[in-house]
Amino acid sequence: MDRAKVVHLDTHVIVWLYEGRIERLGKAARRAIESSTPVASPAAVLELEFLHEIARLKPSATKVMTSLAAEIGLQICDMTFRTVVDRALHETLGRDPFDRLIVANAKAASAQLVTKDGRILDNCARAIWE
């Protein structure tokens, strides 16, 4: 398996992978994850923790990320926050700061983004699902 390229994962994809709900992933999404190094934006990690704090996600972000790092080699992107924010300033996806930062991070890394979010799929040429 060629893991030289990276693919960024949207927050819901990270949750589904952690929960073992692989069947929820589109075919292209699955192929991209299996053939690339999966990467999470720090914004996705923060969103996981917010979901944990409001009881929409039982495990903490740290538990989810540690588990997926061991299981599938999930890494956290180390791009500078300034680079990501500079890119996010030009995104027009809406008012959700997590979406804007996650998309900007993937674009700044010239990486594909695995997401089921229709708004992102419609507005991000490198977003993939089916």
Side-chain angles (χ1 to χ4, degrees), residues 79-94:
M79 185 174 292
T80 67
F81 188 58
R82 180 179 180 154
T83 299
V84 175
V85 170
D86 284 347
R87 186 65 185 245
L89 291 172
H90 304 287
E91 291 301 324
T92 57
L93 284 170

Side-chain angles (χ1 to χ4, degrees), residues 1 20 22 26 31 38 46 51 58 66 74 98 102 115-116:
M1 175 167 45
I22 307 302
R31 275 194 308 275
L46 181 59
L51 292 170
K58 188 169 183 163
T66 300
L74 180 62
F98 293 114
I102 291 166
T115 184
K116 189 176 181 177

